[in-house]
Amino acid sequence: VVMLALAAWLARAVPAVPPELVAYGRYMVTYESPNVHYLYVGEGRTASIAVSELDNGVRNFHVSGKVEASTEAQDMRLQRMLGNLPALLHRDPKSVLVVGFGAGVTAGSFVPYLGVKRLVICEIEPLIPQHVADYFSAQNYDVLKDPRTELHFDDARHFVLTTPEKFDIITSDPINPWVKGAATLYTKEYFELVKAHLNPGGIVTQWVPLYEANEDAVKSEIATFFSVFPNGTIWGNTNGGQGYDIVLLGQADAPRIDLDSLDHKLQRDDFMFVRRSLADVGFGSAEDLLATYAGRAQDIAPWVADAQVNRDRDLRLQYLAGLEANSYLSGPIYSRMLEYRRFPDDLFTGSAVDRQALRQRIGAHE
Protein backbone atom coordinates (compact mmCIF):
# COMPACT_ATOMS: atom_id res chain seq x y z
CA VAL A 1 0.00 0.00 0.00
CA VAL A 2 2.83 2.37 0.91
CA MET A 3 4.57 1.63 -2.41
CA LEU A 4 1.37 2.20 -4.38
CA ALA A 5 0.74 5.47 -2.55
CA LEU A 6 4.31 6.59 -3.23
CA ALA A 7 3.99 5.68 -6.91
CA ALA A 8 0.73 7.63 -7.17
CA TRP A 9 2.29 10.66 -5.49
CA LEU A 10 5.32 10.54 -7.79
CA ALA A 11 3.09 10.23 -10.84
CA ARG A 12 1.12 13.30 -9.80
CA ALA A 13 4.34 15.17 -9.16
CA VAL A 14 5.61 14.65 -12.72
CA PRO A 15 4.85 17.82 -14.71
CA ALA A 16 2.72 17.50 -17.81
CA VAL A 17 4.38 17.55 -21.21
CA PRO A 18 4.35 21.19 -22.40
CA PRO A 19 1.85 21.64 -25.23
CA GLU A 20 4.51 23.68 -27.04
CA LEU A 21 6.70 20.58 -27.22
CA VAL A 22 3.91 18.46 -28.70
CA ALA A 23 3.05 21.21 -31.18
CA TYR A 24 6.45 22.50 -32.27
CA GLY A 25 9.00 19.90 -31.18
CA ARG A 26 12.54 21.07 -31.78
CA TYR A 27 11.24 24.52 -32.74
CA MET A 28 9.77 25.07 -29.29
CA VAL A 29 12.80 26.99 -27.99
CA THR A 30 12.88 29.36 -30.96
CA TYR A 31 9.20 29.70 -31.81
CA GLU A 32 8.24 33.31 -31.08
CA SER A 33 4.48 33.58 -30.88
CA PRO A 34 2.95 34.06 -27.44
CA ASN A 35 -0.49 34.30 -28.99
CA VAL A 36 -1.03 30.56 -29.40
CA HIS A 37 -4.02 28.95 -27.72
CA TYR A 38 -4.02 25.17 -27.42
CA LEU A 39 -7.47 23.71 -28.05
CA TYR A 40 -6.45 20.08 -27.72
CA VAL A 41 -3.36 18.05 -26.79
CA GLY A 42 -3.34 14.26 -26.78
CA GLU A 43 -1.04 11.26 -26.70
CA GLY A 44 -2.06 8.61 -29.22
CA ARG A 45 -0.90 5.10 -29.99
CA THR A 46 1.61 6.22 -32.61
CA ALA A 47 1.99 9.99 -32.18
CA SER A 48 1.39 13.02 -29.99
CA ILE A 49 -1.06 15.48 -31.52
CA ALA A 50 -2.28 19.01 -30.83
CA VAL A 51 -4.67 21.58 -32.23
CA SER A 52 -3.81 25.24 -31.74
CA GLU A 53 -5.36 28.54 -32.70
CA LEU A 54 -3.62 31.88 -33.25
CA ASP A 55 -5.09 35.24 -32.38
CA ASN A 56 -5.81 35.82 -36.08
CA GLY A 57 -8.09 32.78 -36.12
CA VAL A 58 -5.75 30.43 -37.99
CA ARG A 59 -5.92 26.88 -36.68
CA ASN A 60 -3.03 24.43 -36.85
CA PHE A 61 -3.02 20.67 -36.53
CA HIS A 62 0.26 19.33 -35.12
CA VAL A 63 1.70 15.81 -35.19
CA SER A 64 4.81 14.91 -33.19
CA GLY A 65 6.26 18.38 -33.11
CA LYS A 66 5.35 19.82 -36.51
CA VAL A 67 2.40 21.47 -38.21
CA GLU A 68 0.77 18.90 -40.46
CA ALA A 69 -2.27 20.88 -41.64
CA SER A 70 -3.73 24.33 -41.09
CA THR A 71 -6.32 26.84 -42.22
CA GLU A 72 -3.59 29.07 -43.65
CA ALA A 73 -4.43 30.05 -47.25
CA GLN A 74 -1.54 28.14 -48.80
CA ASP A 75 -2.29 24.96 -46.85
CA MET A 76 -6.01 25.08 -47.61
CA ARG A 77 -5.24 25.54 -51.31
CA LEU A 78 -2.90 22.54 -51.35
CA GLN A 79 -5.36 20.28 -49.55
CA ARG A 80 -8.18 21.22 -51.95
CA MET A 81 -5.87 20.69 -54.95
CA LEU A 82 -5.09 17.14 -53.84
CA GLY A 83 -8.80 16.33 -53.99
CA ASN A 84 -10.20 18.52 -56.73
CA LEU A 85 -7.55 17.94 -59.39
CA PRO A 86 -8.21 14.19 -59.70
CA ALA A 87 -11.96 14.56 -59.06
CA LEU A 88 -12.35 17.04 -61.93
CA LEU A 89 -9.94 15.39 -64.35
CA HIS A 90 -11.44 11.93 -63.88
CA ARG A 91 -14.33 11.23 -66.21
CA ASP A 92 -16.75 10.05 -63.52
CA PRO A 93 -15.21 9.09 -60.14
CA LYS A 94 -17.27 6.77 -57.95
CA SER A 95 -14.77 5.51 -55.38
CA VAL A 96 -11.97 7.35 -53.56
CA LEU A 97 -9.20 6.29 -51.16
CA VAL A 98 -7.58 9.00 -49.02
CA VAL A 99 -4.30 8.02 -47.36
CA GLY A 100 -3.89 10.04 -44.15
CA PHE A 101 -6.70 12.00 -42.53
CA GLY A 102 -4.91 15.04 -41.08
CA ALA A 103 -7.45 17.80 -40.57
CA GLY A 104 -9.75 16.05 -43.03
CA VAL A 105 -9.67 18.85 -45.61
CA THR A 106 -8.37 16.71 -48.47
CA ALA A 107 -10.93 14.00 -47.75
CA GLY A 108 -13.62 16.65 -47.38
CA SER A 109 -12.79 18.00 -50.84
CA PHE A 110 -14.66 15.01 -52.28
CA VAL A 111 -17.85 15.65 -50.29
CA PRO A 112 -19.28 18.16 -52.83
CA TYR A 113 -18.93 15.60 -55.63
CA LEU A 114 -22.35 14.01 -55.67
CA GLY A 115 -21.22 11.30 -58.07
CA VAL A 116 -18.77 9.88 -55.51
CA LYS A 117 -20.48 6.91 -53.86
CA ARG A 118 -17.68 5.61 -51.64
CA LEU A 119 -15.05 7.58 -49.71
CA VAL A 120 -12.52 5.42 -47.88
CA ILE A 121 -10.05 7.01 -45.45
CA CYS A 122 -7.01 5.18 -44.06
CA GLU A 123 -5.41 6.72 -40.96
CA ILE A 124 -2.86 5.06 -38.70
CA GLU A 125 -3.53 7.17 -35.58
CA PRO A 126 -7.10 6.82 -34.17
CA LEU A 127 -6.80 9.95 -32.05
CA ILE A 128 -6.62 12.17 -35.14
CA PRO A 129 -10.09 11.68 -36.67
CA GLN A 130 -11.65 11.09 -33.26
CA HIS A 131 -10.54 14.41 -31.76
CA VAL A 132 -9.18 16.64 -34.55
CA ALA A 133 -11.92 16.46 -37.17
CA ASP A 134 -14.44 18.60 -35.27
CA TYR A 135 -11.98 21.49 -34.91
CA PHE A 136 -11.84 21.71 -38.72
CA SER A 137 -15.43 20.74 -39.50
CA ALA A 138 -16.08 23.96 -41.47
CA GLN A 139 -13.10 23.22 -43.70
CA ASN A 140 -13.58 19.46 -44.08
CA TYR A 141 -17.35 19.66 -44.62
CA ASP A 142 -18.01 17.24 -41.75
CA VAL A 143 -16.60 14.46 -43.89
CA LEU A 144 -16.75 11.88 -41.09
CA LYS A 145 -20.50 12.39 -40.80
CA ASP A 146 -21.07 11.85 -44.52
CA PRO A 147 -22.79 8.47 -45.07
CA ARG A 148 -20.43 7.69 -47.95
CA THR A 149 -17.37 7.83 -45.68
CA GLU A 150 -15.70 4.68 -44.38
CA LEU A 151 -12.82 5.07 -41.90
CA HIS A 152 -10.07 2.47 -41.42
CA PHE A 153 -7.39 2.62 -38.73
CA ASP A 154 -4.43 0.95 -40.35
CA ASP A 155 -0.95 1.47 -41.73
CA ALA A 156 -1.38 2.71 -45.30
CA ARG A 157 1.04 0.21 -46.79
CA HIS A 158 -0.73 -2.67 -45.06
CA PHE A 159 -4.18 -1.41 -46.02
CA VAL A 160 -3.38 -0.94 -49.71
CA LEU A 161 -1.55 -4.27 -49.81
CA THR A 162 -4.38 -6.27 -48.26
CA THR A 163 -7.54 -4.63 -49.60
CA PRO A 164 -9.06 -6.40 -52.61
CA GLU A 165 -10.76 -3.16 -53.64
CA LYS A 166 -9.73 -0.87 -56.47
CA PHE A 167 -10.47 2.84 -56.63
CA ASP A 168 -11.07 5.54 -59.21
CA ILE A 169 -8.96 7.99 -57.20
CA ILE A 170 -6.23 7.49 -54.61
CA THR A 171 -4.76 10.56 -52.97
CA SER A 172 -1.86 10.45 -50.55
CA ASP A 173 -0.92 13.29 -48.19
CA PRO A 174 1.57 11.77 -45.74
CA ILE A 175 3.84 13.57 -43.31
CA ASN A 176 7.23 14.93 -44.45
CA PRO A 177 9.54 12.17 -45.73
CA TRP A 178 12.24 12.93 -43.15
CA VAL A 179 9.90 11.87 -40.33
CA LYS A 180 10.69 8.31 -39.23
CA GLY A 181 8.77 5.78 -41.29
CA ALA A 182 7.15 8.29 -43.67
CA ALA A 183 9.59 7.60 -46.51
CA THR A 184 7.88 4.24 -47.04
CA LEU A 185 4.97 6.18 -48.56
CA TYR A 186 7.29 7.66 -51.19
CA THR A 187 8.92 4.48 -52.53
CA LYS A 188 8.70 2.95 -55.98
CA GLU A 189 7.14 -0.18 -54.50
CA TYR A 190 4.44 1.86 -52.77
CA PHE A 191 3.54 3.70 -55.96
CA GLU A 192 3.42 0.39 -57.84
CA LEU A 193 1.06 -0.91 -55.17
CA VAL A 194 -1.14 2.16 -55.53
CA LYS A 195 -1.15 1.84 -59.32
CA ALA A 196 -2.27 -1.78 -59.04
CA HIS A 197 -5.29 -0.64 -57.00
CA LEU A 198 -6.55 1.89 -59.54
CA ASN A 199 -9.55 1.15 -61.71
CA PRO A 200 -9.16 1.70 -65.48
CA GLY A 201 -8.83 5.44 -66.00
CA GLY A 202 -7.94 5.91 -62.34
CA ILE A 203 -5.89 8.83 -61.02
CA VAL A 204 -3.48 9.15 -58.10
CA THR A 205 -2.26 12.38 -56.49
CA GLN A 206 0.74 12.66 -54.18
CA TRP A 207 1.85 15.57 -51.98
CA VAL A 208 5.51 16.64 -52.18
CA PRO A 209 6.79 19.41 -49.87
CA LEU A 210 9.38 21.83 -51.21
CA TYR A 211 9.96 23.44 -47.81
CA GLU A 212 12.10 21.68 -45.20
CA ALA A 213 13.74 19.88 -48.11
CA ASN A 214 16.67 20.14 -50.48
CA GLU A 215 16.86 19.73 -54.23
CA ASP A 216 18.16 16.16 -54.07
CA ALA A 217 15.23 15.04 -51.91
CA VAL A 218 12.63 16.69 -54.15
CA LYS A 219 14.23 15.24 -57.27
CA SER A 220 14.21 11.80 -55.66
CA GLU A 221 10.48 12.05 -54.86
CA ILE A 222 9.60 13.21 -58.37
CA ALA A 223 11.83 10.67 -60.13
CA THR A 224 10.45 7.83 -58.01
CA PHE A 225 6.84 8.77 -58.76
CA PHE A 226 7.46 9.20 -62.47
CA SER A 227 9.28 5.85 -62.67
CA VAL A 228 5.86 4.30 -62.00
CA PHE A 229 3.69 6.95 -63.69
CA PRO A 230 5.68 8.05 -66.78
CA ASN A 231 2.71 10.12 -67.98
CA GLY A 232 2.59 12.07 -64.72
CA THR A 233 2.21 15.82 -64.30
CA ILE A 234 3.20 18.40 -61.68
CA TRP A 235 0.92 21.05 -60.20
CA GLY A 236 2.39 23.85 -58.11
CA ASN A 237 1.14 25.51 -54.94
CA THR A 238 2.82 28.80 -54.13
CA ASN A 239 2.95 31.09 -51.12
CA GLY A 240 3.48 34.78 -51.77
CA GLY A 241 4.43 33.97 -55.35
CA GLN A 242 7.20 31.60 -54.25
CA GLY A 243 7.29 27.82 -54.42
CA TYR A 244 5.80 26.06 -51.40
CA ASP A 245 4.77 22.50 -52.28
CA ILE A 246 3.54 20.53 -55.29
CA VAL A 247 1.02 17.88 -56.27
CA LEU A 248 2.14 14.97 -58.45
CA LEU A 249 -0.67 13.51 -60.54
CA GLY A 250 -0.38 10.13 -62.22
CA GLN A 251 -2.48 7.76 -64.28
CA ALA A 252 -1.78 4.73 -66.40
CA ASP A 253 -2.93 6.25 -69.70
CA ALA A 254 -1.67 9.39 -71.38
CA PRO A 255 -3.80 12.21 -69.90
CA ARG A 256 -5.98 14.54 -71.94
CA ILE A 257 -7.63 17.63 -70.43
CA ASP A 258 -10.48 19.06 -72.48
CA LEU A 259 -10.79 22.68 -71.38
CA ASP A 260 -14.26 23.13 -72.85
CA SER A 261 -15.59 19.97 -71.21
CA LEU A 262 -14.08 20.86 -67.85
CA ASP A 263 -15.51 24.36 -67.91
CA HIS A 264 -18.93 23.00 -68.89
CA LYS A 265 -18.78 20.46 -66.06
CA LEU A 266 -18.11 23.16 -63.46
CA GLN A 267 -21.06 25.20 -64.66
CA ARG A 268 -23.54 22.38 -64.05
CA ASP A 269 -26.03 22.74 -61.22
CA ASP A 270 -24.79 19.59 -59.50
CA PHE A 271 -21.31 21.15 -59.29
CA MET A 272 -22.48 24.26 -57.45
CA PHE A 273 -20.83 23.20 -54.16
CA VAL A 274 -17.65 22.19 -56.01
CA ARG A 275 -17.44 25.73 -57.42
CA ARG A 276 -17.84 27.17 -53.93
CA SER A 277 -15.18 24.86 -52.53
CA LEU A 278 -12.71 25.94 -55.19
CA ALA A 279 -13.59 29.62 -54.87
CA ASP A 280 -12.93 29.46 -51.12
CA VAL A 281 -9.23 28.84 -51.85
CA GLY A 282 -8.88 31.26 -54.75
CA PHE A 283 -9.85 29.13 -57.76
CA GLY A 284 -12.69 31.06 -59.35
CA SER A 285 -12.67 29.03 -62.56
CA ALA A 286 -11.29 25.90 -64.16
CA GLU A 287 -8.60 28.06 -65.74
CA ASP A 288 -7.46 29.23 -62.31
CA LEU A 289 -6.94 25.64 -61.19
CA LEU A 290 -5.23 24.50 -64.39
CA ALA A 291 -2.92 27.52 -64.31
CA THR A 292 -1.09 25.78 -61.46
CA TYR A 293 0.38 23.40 -64.06
CA ALA A 294 4.13 23.20 -63.42
CA GLY A 295 5.41 20.51 -65.79
CA ARG A 296 5.34 16.82 -66.63
CA ALA A 297 7.57 13.79 -66.56
CA GLN A 298 8.99 13.97 -70.07
CA ASP A 299 9.92 17.65 -69.79
CA ILE A 300 11.52 17.50 -66.36
CA ALA A 301 13.42 14.27 -67.10
CA PRO A 302 16.79 16.04 -67.61
CA TRP A 303 16.52 17.70 -64.19
CA VAL A 304 15.87 14.44 -62.34
CA ALA A 305 18.23 12.32 -64.44
CA ASP A 306 20.73 12.04 -61.57
CA ALA A 307 18.07 11.50 -58.88
CA GLN A 308 18.17 8.47 -56.60
CA VAL A 309 14.99 6.42 -56.82
CA ASN A 310 13.61 5.70 -53.35
CA ARG A 311 13.19 1.97 -52.79
CA ASP A 312 11.88 -0.12 -49.91
CA ARG A 313 15.25 -1.79 -49.48
CA ASP A 314 17.20 1.40 -48.75
CA LEU A 315 14.75 4.29 -48.06
CA ARG A 316 17.43 6.69 -49.25
CA LEU A 317 14.90 9.53 -49.30
CA GLN A 318 14.53 9.53 -45.52
CA TYR A 319 18.19 10.43 -45.18
CA LEU A 320 18.31 12.84 -48.12
CA ALA A 321 15.36 14.74 -46.68
CA GLY A 322 16.67 14.56 -43.13
CA LEU A 323 19.87 16.36 -44.06
CA GLU A 324 17.95 19.56 -44.81
CA ALA A 325 14.97 19.42 -42.44
CA ASN A 326 15.84 22.93 -41.25
CA SER A 327 16.22 24.39 -44.75
CA TYR A 328 13.76 26.64 -46.55
CA LEU A 329 14.78 26.42 -50.18
CA SER A 330 11.32 26.01 -51.68
CA GLY A 331 11.58 29.19 -53.77
CA PRO A 332 14.83 28.30 -55.55
CA ILE A 333 13.79 24.65 -55.98
CA TYR A 334 10.47 25.61 -57.60
CA SER A 335 12.13 28.18 -59.85
CA ARG A 336 14.59 25.54 -61.01
CA MET A 337 11.72 23.16 -61.81
CA LEU A 338 9.91 25.79 -63.86
CA GLU A 339 12.92 26.18 -66.15
CA TYR A 340 11.90 22.85 -67.69
CA ARG A 341 8.19 23.60 -68.02
CA ARG A 342 6.72 23.79 -71.52
CA PHE A 343 3.12 24.35 -72.50
CA PRO A 344 1.82 20.85 -73.42
CA ASP A 345 -0.25 21.20 -76.57
CA ASP A 346 -1.04 17.49 -76.50
CA LEU A 347 -2.26 17.63 -72.88
CA PHE A 348 -4.66 20.58 -73.00
CA THR A 349 -7.27 20.34 -75.72
CA GLY A 350 -10.29 22.49 -76.51
CA SER A 351 -10.96 25.82 -78.20
CA ALA A 352 -8.00 27.83 -79.43
CA VAL A 353 -9.14 30.81 -77.37
CA ASP A 354 -9.18 28.87 -74.11
CA ARG A 355 -5.84 27.25 -74.83
CA GLN A 356 -4.22 30.58 -75.60
CA ALA A 357 -5.62 32.13 -72.43
CA LEU A 358 -4.27 29.22 -70.38
CA ARG A 359 -0.91 29.44 -72.14
CA GLN A 360 -0.64 33.08 -71.11
CA ARG A 361 -1.64 32.29 -67.54
CA ILE A 362 0.92 29.53 -67.21
CA GLY A 363 3.61 31.67 -68.77
CA ALA A 364 5.55 28.62 -69.86
CA HIS A 365 8.88 28.88 -71.62
CA GLU A 366 8.83 28.18 -75.32
Side-chain angles (χ1 to χ4, degrees), residues 39-57:
L39 307 179
Y40 178 79
V41 178
E43 182 71 29
R45 298 176 186 173
T46 64
S48 302
I49 66 173
V51 177
S52 68
E53 185 173 79
L54 307 181
D55 279 352
N56 60 6

Side-chain angles (χ1 to χ4, degrees), residues 288-302:
D288 289 342
L289 180 62
L290 297 179
T292 64
Y293 174 79
R296 58 179 173 175
Q298 64 191 70
D299 294 331
I300 208 169

Side-chain angles (χ1 to χ4, degrees), residues 89 235 256-266 286-287 290-291 343-344 347-359 362:
L89 298 184
W235 306 82
R256 292 288 186 276
I257 302 175
D258 188 321
L259 303 181
D260 300 328
S261 176
L262 185 57
D263 187 62
H264 176 72
K265 180 189 291 187
L266 273 177
E287 183 182 297
L290 297 179
F343 186 83
L347 174 62
F348 296 117
T349 63
S351 70
V353 173
D354 287 343
R355 293 175 66 200
Q356 182 59 28
L358 183 59
R359 182 191 295 268
I362 291 176

Side-chain angles (χ1 to χ4, degrees), residues 105-158:
V105 180
T106 297
S109 298
F110 296 101
V111 170
Y113 289 88
L114 303 182
V116 171
K117 305 303 181 184
R118 183 167 164 75
L119 178 53
V120 179
I121 302 171
C122 180
E123 169 58 51
I124 193 171
E125 175 50 60
L127 213 60
I128 294 175
Q130 290 171 357
H131 293 278
V132 173
D134 287 345
Y135 290 104
F136 296 89
S137 59
Q139 291 78 26
N140 64 36
Y141 306 135
D142 279 325
V143 61
L144 292 183
K145 298 177 182 178
D146 193 290
R148 298 169 294 175
T149 299
E150 182 178 304
L151 182 61
H152 291 265
F153 296 119
D154 198 354
D155 172 76
R157 289 291 297 261
H158 179 265

Side-chain angles (χ1 to χ4, degrees), residues 9-80:
W9 179 82
L10 289 173
R12 292 181 58 126
V14 174
V17 176
E20 295 84 1
L21 180 61
V22 176
Y24 295 103
R26 69 184 190 279
Y27 294 114
M28 181 184 74
V29 295
T30 58
Y31 187 73
E32 299 178 357
S33 180
N35 302 318
V36 180
H37 311 283
Y38 293 98
L39 307 179
Y40 178 79
V41 178
E43 182 71 29
R45 298 176 186 173
T46 64
S48 302
I49 66 173
V51 177
S52 68
E53 185 173 79
L54 307 181
D55 279 352
N56 60 6
V58 169
R59 287 191 175 181
N60 290 301
F61 163 55
H62 312 256
V63 177
S64 297
K66 71 175 301 295
V67 176
E68 177 64 12
S70 82
T71 58
E72 291 274 12
Q74 67 274 14
D75 289 334
M76 286 295 301
R77 187 166 54 248
L78 181 279
Q79 293 162 110
R80 293 275 166 85

Side-chain angles (χ1 to χ4, degrees), residues 94-111:
K94 300 294 185 183
S95 59
V96 177
L97 170 62
V98 179
V99 175
F101 183 78
V105 180
T106 297
S109 298
F110 296 101
V111 170

Side-chain angles (χ1 to χ4, degrees), residues 218-226 246 248 300 303-304 337:
V218 173
K219 288 164 68 173
S220 176
E221 292 163 86
I222 294 174
T224 302
F225 185 85
F226 286 160
I246 59 176
L248 301 179
I300 208 169
W303 186 58
V304 301
M337 288 173 52

